Amino acid sequence: MADNLIGKLIPHQGCVITRLKDGTDGIEGIRIAGSAMNWVMSAAVVPFVCRPPFVFRVVGKTDSTNLRMHFHRGELIFNWECNVRALRVHDPATAEQHELKDKGFIATTDWHEIVWEIRLDRMRVVVDGEVRFEGAGDYSGIESAPSVGPCFGSAVSVREFTITPLV
């Protein structure tokens, strides 16, 4: 199993990372929020670059809107501020935007496993075991550091952040 990277994430764009503790076994996760203006898109970034094929996995939740995951020019937006039910998928290679009706809502009270599988020629998004997006593309020449964060005043909590190479 891949290492949990939450302790190694680097704050970017006004990001404040706060450790969350539970009452029984210490650190439960981290909270990621913007430090200044509500419109600042903060992110917690891994301290290395990745090249497809790999799986980017987050177990997290948002307090309201905008749990966002990023890779190169790509972005996943859950609980999008303009339509919390729509999933926004921005292609990592082209930045082409897709809006998928009724695929983007995640309950704010629950932890969710979000898996972004980026292969050389396709990608897939799976939330709590349900495939919410699949698409083809050329991701073979991309190198970037994946990140996760909030936007527009939300705060995101993360208890697992893993990167797993695929063969």
Side-chain angles (χ1 to χ4, degrees):
M1 175 166 238
D3 290 337
N4 189 351
L5 300 169
I6 63 169
K8 297 178 182 176
L9 296 174
I10 299 169
H12 178 68
Q13 297 252 139
C15 175
V16 174
I17 299 173
T18 307
R19 292 195 178 279
L20 300 174
K21 297 184 182 219
D22 70 16
T24 57
D25 61 359
I27 302 300
E28 180 178 299
I30 58 174
R31 181 179 184 268
I32 305 164
S35 64
M37 302 171 286
N38 283 346
W39 56 88
V40 172
M41 188 168 74
S42 301
V45 184
V46 295
F48 53 83
V49 297
C50 297
R51 170 179 271 171
F54 68 92
V55 172
F56 175 11
R57 179 180 166 271
V58 166
V59 176
K61 62 182 176 177
T62 178
D63 67 348
S64 55
T65 60
N66 286 298
L67 186 152
R68 295 181 178 218
M69 296 169 63
H70 317 93
F71 177 67
H72 193 54
R73 297 173 69 192
E75 184 173 31
L76 304 179
I77 306 173
F78 297 91
N79 290 28
W80 181 41
E81 77 281 355
C82 294
N83 179 354
V84 296
R85 294 249 172 255
L87 173 60
R88 298 287 295 185
V89 177
H90 300 198
D91 187 273
T94 66
E96 179 183 355
Q97 298 179 20
H98 306 274
E99 183 176 329
L100 297 121
K101 183 180 177 184
D102 296 326
K103 296 291 184 180
F105 181 76
I106 55 175
T108 58
T109 55
D110 301 326
W111 292 97
H112 300 278
E113 179 186 50
I114 303 168
V115 175
W116 192 1
E117 183 181 297
I118 304 172
R119 296 191 173 270
L120 296 178
D121 61 352
R122 66 188 186 279
M123 70 172 171
R124 181 168 74 155
V125 178
V126 181
V127 179
D128 298 330
E130 173 194 348
V131 176
R132 296 205 185 175
F133 177 82
E134 290 186 275
D138 180 5
Y139 309 115
S140 60
I142 299 174
E143 286 186 343
S144 190
S147 64
V148 63
C151 195
F152 295 109
S154 67
V156 170
S157 297
V158 176
R159 68 178 188 202
E160 292 182 42
F161 184 117
T162 60
I163 303 293
T164 307
L166 296 170
V167 284

